[in-house]
Amino acid sequence: MEAASLPAALELAAGGGAGLSPEKRAVLGASLLLLQRDYRFERVWFWGCIQGVRGSYYIAEGLGPDRAAPRSRLYSLNCVEWSLLPPVTEEMVAQAEQLKGRFQGDPSFEYEHIEINAEDAERLFEDGKEPTIKEEARLVATIEQIDRAVGIIPRGAFVKTPLGSVHENRNFEGLSLTEAKKLSSYFHFTKPFNLKNKTLLEKADLDPSTDFLDSLEHDIPQGSWTVQLEKGDTVVVLRSLLWLGLTFYHVPVTKQYGYIYFGTGEKNFDLPFML
Amino acid sequence: MYQSDAARLDPYQTQEPQSAYQTYAVGRDPYQAYERAHGPYQSREPGYGLHQPGHSPYDDQIPDPKSRMLAIQNAKAYLLKSSTTSGLNLYDHLANMLTKILDEQPTNAVDIIENISKDVKWAQFQKKMDTLRDEHEILPTFEAAEKRKALFLKANGGGDEELEEEIGETPLPNVMETAFYFEQAGIGLSKDESYHIFLALKKLISVQPIQTCRFWGKILGLEMNYIIAEVQYHEGEEEEETEDEEVIEEGGKKRGEVEDKDEEKEKEDEPPKSTYKPPPVIPKEENGTGANKYVYFVCNEPGKPWVKLPPVMPAQIVCARKIKKFFTGRLDAPVVSFPPFPGNEANYLRAQIARISAGTHISPIGFYQFAEEEGDEEEEGGAGRDTYEENPDFQPLSVVEMVDSLTTWVHHVQNILKQGRCVWLNPFQKSEEEEEDEEEEKAEEPDELQQEIGPPLLTPLSEDEGIQNIPAWTAQPSTNLIPQYAVAILQSNRWPGAYAFASGKKFDNIYFGWGHKYSPENHTPALPPPVQAEYPSGPEITETRDPTLEEELAFKAAKEEALAAAEEDDDEEDVEDDEEEDDD
């Protein structure tokens, strides 16, 4: 969620019982602004908090002029001092996917690879590296996975310019109440996979400037999002069941929207059994 | 012929649209001003021919001012032509658009000019096409707002008397105070929602005869969420849940009737009766004890009516341990799972609440103590004490001590045994009485069950097992910057979403989550039981193949031959007899 609207946003996304203490809220207002100054970000998003066993990581993302470009991610243990995380690579994501269990809360903790395929082991041993992965790498890989899988925005909130870069849509006035209850009004804010697979009939209705992302309608497994109206039907809250802890809120007919993650950073592999 | 007035500010290039506005208002030719802005263009550039000083379509036709005025009027007339499809004309549209832009003055208007144009056209249409008056839309939000407002209205009648009652001892918990402490750790709902819950609890208390009440927590669901209150009734005012018991008794009677019919049919041929006896149903604990110590009320949203959850049966707890399902938010929804859950979502919710309470409700050591009764331990046969009372001499420990070691916290809810109850019950004691009548039908004796013993009440948390290498609880102070006023916060790792705080003499537990236990391994559902073995072949009953058609026909033919042969013999005998008779 936008750093500027953090206090109001936290109130709206607090339906799940997770939030920030007054101390953290107060310090974030200042430290996120300083992040923006130091790293020359155009926008700073407070991404959320991953709870480890011994401590929590608070994550912020910084966006540049093209909002769809890979984002810089920073973490902090106390919301005061932030450290930049290394950019994520596919290898990191693949390694992190094999790790199970909670985060420890210590960024320099090293996990030892328990399960390695034969091929991976050869590759790793060839490089002379030992099969360990640092918690920092796991952290950034998990953030990337979560963003890819469940980072969502309302339809029309961002537009793609003819030059290919993505900006906020200044004409976005919010979704209407009926639209806000449909899953098709929300998009994954990441590289689209299914756009080309749509039927011609569907493609005819699309507006290429706003419909350049995948919508949530065809997410697998079906039903992995819960759509609820909270606070007396004034806020639409989407919660992901695949990554428990991700909450997206939107106040219909206004420009307020955002998502935040409060959780343990573990994918819910039991989802098909639980539905 | 075109006056180049350098003093006049150019409307197209300037940052101050007021001058253009004024120029327009004054009545100077907008067409002229607009076109003067650009220098000579190349012929291949876009826009060529549109506004070239020397190449406009009217150039060769406008030698003098009078003709120019005519040309301008022609141009204006053209702009005023109404569209055949929409009834708008370009002149008015441009005028409206520019008015809107000048009124609102958005930044970088040129980038969003098309959208503004669209918006203006939209607005036009809505006004023109609507001959009917818009009925005020009754949004569902209004109804919800009504319900919420109802919470804030003070109940009518009573007046002074009620005030006195309220100010005295009330079972209403101070939800806002608890919310404040949890908020120090970042846990909890928004203040609005907490206040609504506060008022909803107040409503609950005014309706039901409640002695103690507590906000237990919130469980999230797919369609709706649950807000849960934990209450205890006044002694003696409890409504006994006789409905469930009656149902069980009727079920027993029906079974009896069926058995009678079976006995009547024994005279006919019957397949052998199955010797399968279902395991005995473990009876639930009495209301007010064990897992049913508290009664739980749920509602989906503050403002909606509270629904009482039924007491929990041990079978439900045992099954709930094996399944993992999301709650939908509707209490009557079926729980489709394997092993099949004996009940609907209300029962599943109640079972999960019981498990969470038993696993995560903790208090600082010394807050509760056992009621002093002598000779209890031996009489109860090691079942342990199940009642406690508040310790009037409780000395709170400092926050640092509470956070450093887990021995300073104890569970004050009884552990649920594997059986599904808190106090172990041997289910075969009763059934032995029944079996005395049916001694003949005793097929197998049930195995003797080991008495299950769980950790006694008020065990410290240090005895809690962790999961793999993660401790069962994570303890933190709420703030490191101001340790004087910090609050000790515990988070459960076994039941993610369960929190407890302690500050001085105050403490509380709460749950916010989806209602499931944490397991690092993926959930593997129970496999279906193995296929039952077939009836064993023995000397009395063996399985053979059915005869094929040819065999049957052959057998039939052989039989007929034998019959025919026998008849012939008989005939011969008869004939012989006849002959003999004839002879005689």
Side-chain angles (χ1 to χ4, degrees):
Chain A
M1 54 180 60
E2 278 282 342
S5 53
L6 195 59
L10 283 174
E11 287 279 315
L12 294 170
L20 292 176
S21 64
E23 181 191 321
K24 297 278 182 310
R25 257 184 258 185
V27 75
L28 274 179
S31 69
L32 290 178
L33 271 182
L34 291 175
L35 269 187
Q36 195 174 354
R37 174 201 73 181
D38 292 337
Y39 288 89
R40 313 258 197 277
F41 292 135
E42 286 204 6
R43 289 270 190 275
V44 177
W45 283 6
F46 179 65
W47 184 89
C49 169
I50 290 190
Q51 286 146 2
V53 174
R54 290 195 287 272
S56 305
Y57 297 107
Y58 298 91
I59 316 286
E61 286 185 337
L63 287 86
D66 181 10
R67 306 283 189 256
R71 303 171 216 166
S72 323
R73 293 172 173 121
L74 302 101
Y75 78 93
S76 162
L77 296 165
N78 53 9
C79 285
V80 182
E81 281 141 18
W82 297 85
S83 325
L84 189 63
L85 283 167
V88 68
T89 60
E90 285 304 321
E91 198 188 322
M92 276 174 163
V93 175
Q95 281 184 347
E97 271 183 348
Q98 296 177 8
L99 289 172
K100 283 189 194 177
R102 302 275 303 269
F103 280 83
Q104 292 298 320
D106 171 20
S108 52
F109 182 82
E110 302 219 339
Y111 293 93
E112 290 175 1
H113 254 225
I114 306 170
E115 307 159 13
I116 323 174
N117 295 339
E119 299 173 359
D120 288 346
E122 282 177 20
R123 252 191 312 133
L124 288 171
F125 284 125
E126 273 175 13
D127 294 346
K129 281 186 241 167
E130 290 184 350
T132 59
I133 175 168
K134 277 182 120 181
E135 178 136 307
E136 265 189 1
R138 184 182 177 199
L139 185 64
V140 73
T142 308
I143 300 171
E144 172 72 15
Q145 278 181 299
I146 293 179
D147 271 342
R148 255 191 230 168
V150 290
I152 58 177
I153 52 165
R155 176 171 183 265
F158 285 86
V159 278
K160 194 165 189 176
T161 60
L163 302 171
S165 63
V166 171
H167 296 292
E168 281 100 355
N169 182 2
R170 284 170 39 209
N171 276 308
F172 177 61
E173 291 292 337
L175 301 171
S176 69
L177 196 57
T178 38
E179 271 180 37
K181 293 192 220 170
K182 294 190 222 163
L183 277 182
S184 55
S185 328
Y186 301 98
F187 290 153
H188 290 279
F189 196 39
T190 173
K191 278 215 175 64
F193 288 110
N194 289 336
L195 262 191
K196 298 178 186 166
N197 298 342
K198 291 201 172 178
T199 63
L200 276 181
L201 203 61
E202 285 172 340
K203 277 197 214 171
D205 286 333
L206 296 182
D207 178 6
S209 61
T210 50
D211 293 310
F212 57 96
L213 299 165
D214 284 331
S215 89
L216 295 189
E217 255 184 325
H218 303 293
D219 269 6
I220 295 165
Q222 216 179 34
S224 62
W225 289 93
T226 72
V227 183
Q228 285 174 8
L229 290 166
E230 292 197 356
K231 283 188 176 289
D233 287 3
T234 51
V235 183
V236 175
V237 175
L238 269 75
R239 293 204 178 89
S240 167
L241 301 176
L242 187 58
W243 291 93
L244 287 175
L246 184 108
T247 311
F248 171 87
Y249 74 91
H250 174 51
V251 184
V253 202
T254 68
K255 288 179 102 162
Q256 299 172 45
Y257 66 87
Y259 70 84
I260 198 164
Y261 181 85
F262 279 109
T264 57
E266 287 168 295
K267 196 168 181 177
N268 180 19
F269 286 105
D270 303 331
L271 179 59
F273 291 121
M274 294 167 79
L275 284 175
Chain B
M1 21 181 172
Y2 292 89
Q3 299 163 22
S4 56
D5 188 355
R8 239 194 307 165
L9 291 166
D10 181 53
Y12 194 64
Q13 282 175 349
T14 189
Q15 293 295 319
E16 296 161 0
Q18 282 97 349
S19 49
Y21 198 59
Q22 285 159 12
T23 347
Y24 184 69
V26 165
R28 307 225 183 128
D29 300 320
Y31 191 60
Q32 202 179 50
Y34 176 69
E35 131 188 283
R36 194 189 40 80
H38 303 274
Y41 284 126
Q42 300 295 324
S43 55
R44 60 180 170 279
E45 281 181 16
Y48 174 71
L50 285 180
H51 39 256
Q52 292 264 344
H55 298 275
S56 81
Y58 301 107
D59 259 0
D60 45 354
Q61 298 160 19
I62 315 174
D64 57 287
K66 267 197 194 158
S67 313
R68 192 157 29 104
M69 291 304 299
L70 187 62
I72 288 164
Q73 282 174 10
N74 285 341
K76 194 165 172 184
Y78 168 73
L79 289 176
L80 279 168
K81 254 203 280 193
S82 302
S83 151
T84 45
T85 48
S86 60
L88 304 170
N89 64 56
L90 188 54
Y91 193 86
D92 286 340
H93 181 66
L94 282 173
N96 290 333
M97 218 168 59
L98 289 173
T99 314
K100 182 172 177 182
I101 292 177
L102 293 168
D103 280 339
E104 293 174 7
Q105 303 211 354
T107 52
N108 294 344
V110 62
D111 292 330
I112 47 175
I113 190 80
E114 293 85 7
N115 285 329
I116 295 178
S117 170
K118 238 201 294 184
D119 285 341
V120 171
K121 280 191 186 161
W122 259 30
Q124 291 274 351
F125 269 117
Q126 282 177 2
K127 281 185 193 159
K128 278 193 183 172
M129 307 284 269
D130 258 335
T131 47
L132 303 167
R133 251 196 248 166
D134 268 334
E135 201 186 276
H136 275 288
E137 240 184 287
I138 310 253
L139 296 169
T141 46
F142 298 155
E143 292 174 20
E146 274 287 322
K147 281 196 198 138
R148 292 178 150 229
K149 183 179 161 187
L151 277 177
F152 288 90
L153 295 171
K154 244 187 164 171
N156 296 329
D160 288 335
E161 295 172 12
E162 275 198 12
L163 268 179
E164 284 177 21
E165 280 180 24
E166 285 176 20
I167 294 174
E169 278 221 16
T170 163
L172 183 65
N174 193 345
V175 172
M176 296 311 289
E177 192 184 3
T178 317
F180 164 77
Y181 282 111
F182 276 119
E183 195 195 352
Q184 300 303 305
I187 301 153
L189 308 169
S190 63
K191 291 232 175 57
D192 283 358
E193 205 169 343
S194 297
Y195 207 85
H196 280 108
I197 293 175
F198 201 6
L199 291 170
L201 284 177
K202 178 176 174 203
K203 207 168 163 195
L204 175 67
I205 285 170
S206 63
V207 171
Q208 303 266 350
I210 289 174
Q211 187 181 18
T212 62
C213 173
R214 202 174 75 82
F215 174 48
W216 186 91
K218 183 174 180 184
I219 288 190
L220 303 170
L222 296 182
E223 294 166 29
M224 291 182 283
N225 305 322
Y226 290 117
I227 294 174
I228 300 158
E230 181 185 77
V231 310
Q232 259 183 325
Y233 281 121
H234 283 304
E235 293 178 7
E237 290 208 28
E238 210 180 292
E239 299 168 17
E240 294 263 339
E241 284 289 326
T242 48
E243 292 177 14
D244 289 338
E245 295 173 16
E246 286 176 11
V247 165
I248 295 172
E249 285 176 19
E250 282 174 36
K253 279 184 206 157
K254 281 187 192 158
R255 267 186 246 132
E257 289 172 7
V258 166
E259 284 175 10
D260 289 336
K261 285 183 198 160
D262 280 343
E263 287 175 13
E264 288 174 8
K265 278 193 200 163
E266 269 183 23
K267 302 170 190 170
E268 307 172 4
D269 270 342
E270 269 224 342
K273 271 198 213 170
S274 122
T275 50
Y276 171 70
K277 273 201 192 144
V281 173
I282 302 173
K284 72 176 167 100
E285 288 172 294
E286 288 297 313
N287 294 345
T289 64
N292 284 322
K293 182 166 185 190
Y294 295 100
V295 179
Y296 292 93
F297 282 86
V298 298
C299 73
N300 286 125
E301 264 201 12
K304 293 204 179 152
W306 291 91
V307 178
K308 183 170 166 181
L309 286 181
V312 66
M313 317 270 291
Q316 291 167 354
I317 292 192
V318 168
C319 190
R321 284 182 171 141
K322 298 185 190 152
I323 66 174
K324 197 172 177 187
K325 286 289 226 173
F326 279 123
F327 294 99
T328 60
R330 291 167 288 126
L331 285 173
D332 52 356
V335 178
V336 179
S337 66
F338 185 80
F341 187 77
N344 57 13
E345 181 155 314
N347 304 103
Y348 184 42
L349 180 63
R350 180 65 180 82
Q352 290 292 91
I353 293 176
R355 288 174 70 200
I356 293 174
S357 298
T360 63
H361 278 193
I362 57 181
S363 55
I365 192 168
F367 192 90
Y368 288 120
Q369 67 183 10
F370 288 121
E372 291 194 1
E373 292 176 30
E374 297 177 358
D376 251 355
E377 292 184 35
E378 297 176 10
E379 286 180 15
E380 296 196 19
R385 300 163 170 147
D386 56 356
T387 53
Y388 51 80
E389 61 177 22
E390 279 191 36
N391 181 353
D393 304 323
F394 171 56
Q395 295 297 327
L397 299 165
S398 74
V399 168
V400 178
E401 286 175 338
M402 300 297 293
V403 163
D404 270 342
S405 102
L406 289 177
T407 51
T408 47
W409 296 81
V410 297
H411 287 274
H412 62 258
V413 175
Q414 265 183 316
N415 185 282
I416 299 185
L417 304 165
K418 253 180 132 173
Q419 200 185 40
R421 295 171 50 107
C422 292
V423 174
W424 190 77
L425 179 76
N426 188 348
F428 295 112
Q429 282 170 358
K430 271 193 195 170
S431 59
E432 281 177 14
E433 294 172 2
E434 293 175 351
E435 285 185 3
E436 284 175 9
D437 301 333
E438 305 176 351
E439 281 180 11
E440 301 173 0
E441 295 192 15
K442 248 197 219 175
E444 298 168 1
E445 286 207 7
D447 297 333
E448 285 206 10
L449 287 179
Q450 295 277 330
Q451 180 179 18
E452 297 172 18
I453 306 176
L457 204 54
L458 299 189
T459 23
L461 293 199
S462 39
E463 309 283 326
D464 276 4
E465 290 173 11
I467 306 176
Q468 293 182 349
N469 51 353
I470 306 171
W473 294 86
T474 301
Q476 284 169 348
S478 64
T479 165
N480 289 319
L481 296 175
I482 309 177
Q484 302 94 317
Y485 295 108
V487 175
I489 304 279
L490 253 72
Q491 299 177 15
S492 170
N493 293 325
R494 283 226 242 117
W495 290 96
Y499 303 101
F501 85 87
S503 169
K505 285 204 171 179
K506 297 200 167 75
F507 84 96
D508 206 348
N509 301 282
I510 208 158
Y511 183 84
F512 292 113
W514 296 89
H516 299 114
K517 198 169 188 177
Y518 173 72
S519 77
E521 276 85 34
N522 299 338
H523 169 72
T524 42
L527 292 173
V531 175
Q532 279 188 342
E534 289 188 355
Y535 205 85
S537 293
E540 295 167 358
I541 298 183
T542 38
E543 240 186 294
T544 52
R545 268 178 41 242
D546 277 346
T548 63
L549 190 58
E550 292 92 359
E551 287 177 16
E552 276 193 22
L553 289 174
F555 182 72
K556 201 174 168 190
K559 208 173 170 189
E560 283 177 4
E561 280 182 15
L563 255 182
E567 283 181 7
E568 283 179 11
D569 288 341
D570 285 342
D571 285 345
E572 287 177 0
E573 287 178 4
D574 287 344
V575 163
E576 286 176 359
D577 288 339
D578 289 343
E579 286 180 354
E580 287 178 1
E581 287 175 6
D582 283 348
D583 287 344
D584 296 336

